[in-house]
Amino acid sequence: MSKEAIAKKAEVVKDVNDKLNAAESAIVVDYRGLTVAEVTDLRKQLRDAGVQMSVIKNKVLDRAVEGTNYEDLKSLFVGPTAVAFSNEDAIAPAKIIKNFADDHDALEIKGGFIEKKVADLDTIDTYAAMPSRDELLSMLASALSDPMRKIARAVKAVADKENDGDDAAA
C-alpha cells in the first residue's frame, strides 16, 4: 500500500476519532433492511435535531476508538454500521433513533455512549424515554410560574375585596 493511501486512511481514522471525542453522545445502529426513503427520513429527523449520522467502516471505527474511553464499543462494530453523533443535545440521538426503531423493525440499536459514558441498550432506552431539554425547560418554567400565578390571584382577590368594601361604605 502506498504512503499516500496509508496517510488518507490515517486521516479518516483521525476525523472519526475527533468526532467521537467532540460528541456528547453517539448511538451505533445497524440500518440493514431500511429502504432508501426510510434512511432519508431518519437522517432528516436527526439533522433537524442537530445530529449527524454517518456510515463508517468497522475497521475505521475500531481504530478510532483505540486509546479512548469508548474501546468497549468495539464489539458493536460488526455488519453495516452507522453512527449518530450529537455535540449538543446528549439525549436527541437516543430519542429519535429509539422512536424510529419502534416504527421500523429493520433498524437495530447496537449501543453507544451518552454524556461521554458508554451506554448499554437499557441505558439508551432510559435516556430515550426522558423528556428533551426543551421539554424539561418548559416543565421548569411552568413549575416556577404556578406559585406566582397563585400569589397574583390572591393579591387580586384582596384588592377586589377591598374595592367591594369601599363601594359598600359609599
Side-chain angles (χ1 to χ4, degrees), residues 141-161:
S142 177
L144 292 175
S145 68
D146 191 46
M148 296 301 242
R149 260 184 265 150
K150 288 180 181 175
I151 291 172
R153 273 192 233 123
V155 168
K156 185 175 184 319
V158 168
D160 289 347
K161 186 175 182 183

Side-chain angles (χ1 to χ4, degrees), residues 103-124:
D103 296 334
H104 300 85
D105 293 336
L107 184 66
E108 176 192 349
I109 300 173
K110 295 181 179 182
F113 66 88
I114 297 175
E115 295 181 328
K116 306 221 180 249
K117 295 180 189 118
V118 173
D120 60 12
L121 294 178
D122 291 336
T123 304
I124 291 171

